[in-house]
Amino acid sequence: MIAFQDVAHDYGGGPLFRDATITLEKGSFHFLTGPSGAGKSTFLKLCYGELRPTSGSVALLGQDMNTMSRDDLARTRQRIGIVHQDCQFLDHLTVEQNVALPLSATGRTVSQDNLADLLGWVGLAGQARALPPTLSGGERQRTALARAIIASPEVLLADEPTGNLDWDMSQRLVSLMVELNRMGTAVLIATHDMNLIRFVKTQVSARVLRIARGEVQTAGADL
Amino acid sequence: MNRYQISRLVVPRSGRGVWLVGLSAAAMAFLAVFALALSVSAARLAQNWQAALSQTATVRISAPPEEMVEQTAIVLEVLRTTPGIADAREMTDDEQAGLLEAWLGPDLPLDALPLPRLIDVTETPGGPDRQGLRLRLSAEAPGAVYDDHTRWRRPLAEGAARLRQLANLSLVLIGSVMAAIVMLASSASLASNAQVIRVLRLVGAQDRFIAQAFVRRMTLRATLGAAAGAALGAIAMLLLPDPATGSSVLSGLGFQGIGWLLPVSLPVVTAILAWASAKATAFGVLKGVT
């Protein structure tokens, strides 16, 4: 799905990490941990092409990012679901319009039945016509998750998706991701919440990647 | 919701830049109507002057009063026998008084003035050998001067051509200003909607779709503004004095017949200009967004 080969990234003040060689397989579940500022968000941005590696190569869904055109990148992102900590909605559109955006903005058909089912699955049936600024933190994260998965992505990337949520809501949200993973979607969640990782590992086989001292290490299943 | 509907919705409706485009387009179209009218009228004027004066000439006879009748008869005979002259007619005293009335006022005592005698000449399309005719006239009637209006016609035609060039230059400037305003407004709109663009790129929207959302809005506003401005300009043209009354120096300014299609075409031209400007700007800005 996503393969890093000797990847390094540098914003100009020295590499955040280097020589990262990682592969996210189809249907896998990964966590990405590390202290604040270690490069978790940068790693994720490399996974969906918002950043290009300073050196090395990143293959997204079989395509080398370094040779991708802008349209190729857009088409690749249509197969990747992304959940940001700050959600990033179009605040003037309703919840259902935001959720449907990955389909409607890429010329694909939006089935109203599927949309309603999805909103029901994430527990937002009653907020379909609400505007994002009126939602609670948990509702916003679930809206972001619904938007990320409406196009049945092959990979789901989430950057601190439970950062602003209480434990119950965090469990609820991550359980939806586990359910999605069981349906075949590869999942990568960047988080520093060890309890969340332990909670997920009781339900699914998950691997943990740790960024520390400029290296991306595989912590394995023995966390 | 289909793709067309979503592209209309994704960009928030607020934004002063968008109204700036509409307002500017209206003002520019209003001015363009006058520039067009000036251009068309100058061309028409040049053509009219050219046509009115091209096959006419005047022979002016300045001679002592006792020789005037004789020289006039000689000149008329010379003209009658010259190839290329279709008609030659001595102007009456009333006609000469009419010509001078505009300069010297009515009730002119023509008898008291030593006025030259004028002969109105109509040339054939090929015209006479003017040099030869002048030599013959000077030999047979020394006080006769053949004036084929060239010295009047040339500066008038040049003036009209210059006026038309100025009008066309104004149109180019108006178009350039319009394009610049659309580009600035598009840039401002794209900059103020950075979050919208980021989200759209994030969900996999291609540049074409994102640009379309902005370009469509800019084009629509510019076109509506231009339509309003062109309509107001056309109304203003209609309110100018009727050429038939000849009551004003502006009476020749305006459109005639099929010429009225020109102001009608302004919104279409503006739409094309706005579309191209906004599209170029949008794609330029989007290149900087991953």
Side-chain angles (χ1 to χ4, degrees):
Chain A
M1 298 268 101
I2 297 176
F4 280 41
Q5 184 67 47
D6 300 324
V7 169
H9 194 77
D10 185 348
Y11 285 108
L16 268 178
F17 49 80
R18 57 190 173 275
D19 299 332
T21 300
I22 306 288
T23 302
L24 305 184
E25 303 289 355
K26 187 176 190 304
S28 62
F29 202 118
H30 284 82
F31 283 102
L32 180 66
T33 68
S36 294
K40 298 191 292 295
S41 295
T42 299
F43 188 95
L44 279 184
K45 284 177 180 174
L46 288 165
C47 288
Y48 63 84
E50 184 166 343
L51 292 175
R52 289 178 190 260
T54 312
S55 65
S57 65
V58 176
L60 301 183
L61 304 172
Q63 276 191 281
D64 185 347
M65 199 205 294
N66 288 325
T67 60
M68 262 187 207
S69 68
R70 288 179 62 79
D71 280 351
D72 285 342
L73 182 60
R75 276 189 287 272
T76 302
R77 282 186 186 161
Q78 291 168 18
R79 298 162 64 192
I80 299 174
I82 304 159
V83 180
H84 278 276
Q85 185 177 8
D86 59 357
C87 299
Q88 301 192 352
F89 297 122
L90 301 189
D91 286 343
H92 62 288
L93 298 186
T94 63
V95 163
E96 64 179 357
Q97 286 171 337
N98 267 287
V99 169
L101 206 54
L103 295 177
S104 54
T106 55
R108 290 177 282 180
T109 308
V110 180
S111 157
Q112 288 304 313
D113 288 344
N114 290 350
L115 183 59
D117 286 349
L118 179 60
L119 289 174
W121 186 66
V122 295
L124 289 170
Q127 277 78 30
R129 300 291 166 88
L131 292 174
T134 67
L135 300 177
S136 69
E139 288 168 340
R140 287 174 67 82
Q141 289 294 352
R142 282 181 280 142
T143 303
L145 177 62
R147 185 184 62 187
I149 64 178
I150 193 169
S152 305
E154 293 161 57
V155 182
L156 178 67
L157 306 172
D159 190 3
E160 301 281 6
T162 60
N164 298 322
L165 305 182
D166 60 33
W167 177 240
D168 284 346
M169 188 54 72
S170 298
Q171 282 182 304
R172 195 171 157 192
L173 187 77
V174 88
S175 294
L176 291 172
M177 294 184 185
V178 168
E179 206 174 321
L180 204 65
N181 175 250
R182 286 184 177 136
M183 291 188 273
T185 305
V187 177
L188 172 61
I189 302 175
T191 182
H192 58 267
D193 186 344
M194 291 301 155
N195 288 331
L196 191 75
I197 297 173
R198 289 189 194 99
F199 171 75
V200 168
K201 286 171 79 70
T202 62
Q203 302 179 52
V204 69
S205 172
R207 295 178 72 85
V208 178
L209 305 173
R210 181 175 172 76
I211 304 180
R213 293 181 297 279
E215 289 184 4
V216 183
Q217 304 155 342
T218 305
D222 55 346
L223 188 83
Chain B
M1 199 165 16
N2 63 34
R3 203 174 184 198
Y4 172 77
Q5 289 169 318
I6 198 75
S7 81
R8 276 196 312 154
L9 280 177
V10 287
V11 185
R13 286 193 176 276
S14 59
R16 275 170 298 198
V18 169
W19 289 107
L20 175 76
V21 168
L23 201 64
S24 306
M28 291 298 141
F30 186 81
L31 294 175
V33 170
F34 286 94
L36 271 174
L38 187 62
S39 175
V40 169
S41 304
R44 194 170 55 230
L45 214 55
Q47 199 177 12
N48 288 347
W49 286 337
Q50 194 78 18
L53 299 176
S54 63
Q55 286 179 32
T56 62
T58 305
V59 178
R60 190 178 68 248
I61 306 166
S62 303
E66 62 275 16
E67 294 177 23
M68 188 63 89
V69 174
E70 188 190 350
Q71 287 209 21
T72 302
I74 292 169
V75 168
L76 284 170
E77 182 56 23
V78 168
L79 290 171
R80 194 180 65 75
T81 56
T82 301
I85 299 295
D87 186 39
R89 179 181 66 80
E90 182 183 356
M91 292 182 78
T92 64
D93 289 346
D94 286 344
E95 285 174 322
Q96 289 203 198
L99 287 175
L100 294 170
E101 189 180 310
W103 307 98
L104 303 175
D107 303 325
L108 190 66
L110 272 184
D111 296 340
L113 294 172
L115 291 176
R117 179 55 59 194
L118 298 179
I119 293 173
D120 187 22
V121 180
T122 305
E123 298 176 346
T124 60
D129 168 11
R130 293 187 182 90
Q131 190 60 26
L133 179 58
R134 284 193 180 100
L135 288 172
R136 199 173 156 202
L137 283 174
S138 65
E140 299 193 28
V145 176
Y146 188 85
D147 179 2
D148 62 359
H149 302 155
T150 302
R151 66 193 171 107
W152 298 105
R153 205 165 46 191
R154 187 176 297 142
L156 285 174
E158 283 175 358
R162 196 62 53 82
L163 207 58
R164 192 173 193 202
Q165 283 171 357
L166 279 173
N168 290 342
L169 180 66
S170 302
L171 283 171
V172 170
L173 287 175
I174 287 169
S176 305
V177 169
M178 187 64 234
I181 289 171
V182 170
M183 282 178 159
L184 282 173
S186 300
S187 287
S189 179
L190 287 156
S192 66
N193 286 292
Q195 169 74 356
V196 172
I197 294 168
R198 185 175 150 74
V199 170
L200 289 172
R201 284 292 299 174
L202 212 60
V203 300
Q206 294 184 334
D207 287 351
R208 207 175 313 121
F209 171 82
I210 301 171
Q212 191 182 43
F214 288 91
V215 170
R216 178 177 289 133
R217 184 161 297 182
M218 288 297 161
T219 305
L220 189 65
R221 293 291 181 192
T223 308
L224 290 176
L232 286 174
I235 290 169
M237 294 305 307
L238 285 171
L239 293 177
L240 286 177
D242 188 344
T245 65
S247 59
S248 164
V249 290
L250 291 176
S251 60
L253 188 67
F255 303 103
Q256 289 176 0
I258 203 167
W260 280 102
L261 286 177
L262 287 170
V264 173
S265 71
L266 277 175
V268 179
V269 174
T270 305
I272 295 168
L273 198 64
W275 174 81
S277 312
K279 192 175 175 188
T281 308
F283 276 100
V285 170
L286 286 172
K287 270 185 188 167
V289 182
T290 52

